[in-house]
Amino acid sequence: MKDEKQLLSKVTKRLDALSKLPMAKEDKELESLLNQKGIERRDFMKWAGAMTAALALPASFTPLTARAAEVASRLPVIWLHMAECTGCSESLLRAEDPSIDSIIFDTINLEYHETIMAAAGYQAEHNLENAIKKHNGNYILMVEGGIPTIEHYLTIGAEGRTGAQTCREAAQGAAAIFAIGTCSSFGGVQAAHPNPTSAAPLSKIISKPIINVPGCPPSEKNIVGNVLYFVMFGTLPALDAFNRPKWAYGHRIHDLCERRGHFDAGEFVQHFGDENAQKGYCLYKVGCKGPYTFNNCSKLRFNSHTSWPIQAGHGCIGCSEPNFWDTMSPFEEPLSNKLYQTAYNGLGADKTADTVGTVILAATAIGIAAHAVVSSMTKSKTEE
Ligand code: SF4
């Protein structure tokens, strides 16, 4: 209790200090934006309560989470695009019915963002240099996309700087660095076999602490939640072995899935569109990778929080895991099929970290497949 009080007072002081910083001239206060969208204060506070719980903070932090959202606009953000599809930005920016999360993102002081800025060419390059100089030591750097490491791929600007160079320069003065999306966190599709540009994750390019926010795309709440955490505490949240925030990636999709009861009961969709699919049975046998994937999709959902892939009838493809294009595909087949095959092909002959990871994944997949078979058999017996 004493620790909680001390922490509350520390966060309050930090937010007081941040609220005294000037806003960018063209930015609007969050309150006026919420009013414009017809969102009442009561709904905003409800959102703050839910976000506080999502961040695994005590309920007493709710007013501070709300305040952090209000002062988040004081913290400049530099957002770089590397090799990617811009899907992570699009998912935040193209919200037809914007959630409070995306409205907060609208208020964030985006000093540099290639997709939405008006400037181009030399002007854009100057803007980036100026933003780095002006906010040295105080900005959040967000990087979207994998980073090609073979020279001449992804060169930027008149001097032909590489994407990797731009990342390194921008990282030097950053107060916090977020790799946004799976490509920036783990390389993504760019780094999938045969990886012709030798694309790498941001963590292989710069040597400062990075918080990975993977997903294809990641949920807007997972991005905004990390910004708020940094605004409140000035530090990064607790991270897992892959530098993902535990508050967002601490549970498997399988642990939080609404179809989990069917998995445990041995009730599986055998083919897309079959009778079991109509009954909402488990999607493991048509390729769901939920048992091997850590993310909070089932809680947050997509498209204004209305649905998510498993609810819509397709299995999880494991998009927030490292190397998912190579390890999780084909997406419509159970992972165990592929791993049995891999085992017959001599798994374990080379002793790389990837192979060790694959062996663990294989053991898990085989265990889960065995469970699926046994529970299906038990189920058929009961039905007989
Ligand atoms: S295998 Fe997939 S669909 Fe089935 S319970 Fe697990 S996460 Fe849900």
Side-chain angles (χ1 to χ4, degrees):
M1 186 59 96
K2 195 177 154 207
D3 286 354
E4 190 178 316
K5 272 192 181 165
Q6 277 175 350
L7 201 54
L8 279 167
S9 128
K10 201 174 151 193
V11 173
T12 307
K13 278 186 196 149
R14 181 172 159 80
L15 295 179
D16 285 346
L18 277 174
S19 64
K20 288 185 186 121
L21 296 176
M23 289 175 67
K25 269 188 208 139
E26 64 279 12
D27 284 349
K28 286 189 177 168
E29 293 283 359
L30 177 63
E31 199 179 340
S32 78
L33 274 173
L34 292 174
N35 283 342
Q36 266 177 29
K37 305 283 178 192
I39 295 170
E40 292 182 6
R41 181 83 190 164
R42 192 197 306 174
D43 294 324
F44 173 58
M45 290 312 292
K46 255 197 231 167
W47 169 90
M51 182 56 98
T52 305
L55 288 169
L57 294 171
S60 56
F61 277 77
T62 300
L64 295 183
T65 306
R67 252 194 103 201
E70 284 160 353
V71 303
S73 56
R74 267 73 173 181
L75 212 60
V77 171
I78 292 178
W79 186 301
L80 298 179
H81 288 269
M82 296 292 127
E84 35 85 20
C85 68
T86 318
C88 302
S89 288
E90 293 276 340
S91 79
L92 272 166
L93 301 169
R94 289 281 171 95
E96 196 175 296
D97 171 23
S99 63
I100 294 180
D101 306 284
S102 43
I103 294 172
I104 289 170
F105 191 76
D106 281 350
T107 69
I108 284 174
N109 179 5
L110 269 179
E111 277 280 334
Y112 182 87
H113 187 296
E114 282 144 11
T115 310
I116 54 174
M117 66 188 183
Y122 290 113
Q123 180 71 57
E125 286 183 66
H126 285 308
N127 286 358
L128 179 58
E129 280 165 26
N130 289 343
I132 291 173
K133 269 191 212 144
K134 188 166 121 198
H135 301 292
N136 192 21
N138 291 318
Y139 59 86
I140 295 181
L141 173 66
M142 297 196 184
V143 178
E144 185 178 347
I147 299 115
T149 57
I150 295 182
E151 238 178 288
H152 307 307
Y153 283 107
L154 192 72
T155 53
I156 302 167
E159 289 159 22
R161 266 178 308 141
T162 64
Q165 278 173 309
T166 307
C167 286
R168 285 189 198 109
E169 282 162 21
Q172 270 175 16
I177 303 171
F178 295 177
I180 302 292
T182 295
C183 299
S184 183
S185 299
F186 304 129
V189 66
Q190 284 71 226
H193 181 78
N195 192 0
T197 66
S198 276
L202 187 63
S203 56
K204 290 266 165 66
I205 301 297
I206 57 178
S207 51
K208 286 178 85 173
I210 292 172
I211 181 166
N212 287 331
V213 190
C216 193
S219 140
E220 58 201 6
K221 220 180 200 67
N222 288 352
I223 300 174
V224 170
N226 287 313
V227 172
L228 294 184
Y229 191 96
F230 185 74
V231 168
M232 283 198 276
F233 298 99
T235 56
L236 300 183
L239 304 176
D240 73 2
F242 295 118
N243 280 3
R244 299 175 290 198
K246 282 186 184 168
W247 68 265
Y249 300 87
H251 294 279
R252 291 180 308 165
I253 293 283
H254 190 58
D255 298 329
L256 305 170
C257 179
E258 64 236 28
R259 298 186 188 228
R260 176 61 188 266
H262 294 297
F263 176 89
D264 291 341
E267 296 171 336
F268 296 96
V269 173
Q270 305 290 342
H271 305 285
F272 286 109
D274 70 7
E275 199 186 323
N276 290 353
Q278 287 166 26
K279 289 178 184 163
Y281 282 3
C282 170
L283 299 161
Y284 180 77
K285 291 190 178 177
V286 285
C288 182
K289 308 300 185 301
Y292 326 101
T293 306
F294 289 77
N295 209 334
N296 52 5
C297 307
S298 68
K299 282 205 281 183
L300 303 186
R301 293 158 201 257
F302 294 86
N303 297 334
S304 306
H305 307 292
T306 53
S307 188
W308 67 299
I310 287 180
Q311 185 180 343
H314 194 285
C316 162
I317 60 171
C319 74
S320 53
E321 293 301 309
N323 308 322
F324 88 98
W325 282 95
D326 292 333
T327 56
M328 303 288 190
S329 59
F331 296 133
E332 278 83 28
E333 274 184 38
L335 192 57
S336 50
N337 286 3
K338 176 177 173 180
L339 292 170
Y340 277 128
Q341 249 179 33
T342 316
Y344 284 120
N345 292 344
L347 181 77
D350 56 347
K351 305 261 183 302
T352 64
D354 280 353
T355 310
V356 173
T358 312
V359 172
I360 293 166
L361 206 58
T364 315
I366 289 166
I368 285 174
H371 168 85
V373 171
V374 170
S375 45
S376 256
M377 280 163 56
T378 317
K379 165 95 179 124
S380 338
K381 274 199 172 165
T382 318
E383 278 171 355
E384 275 167 27

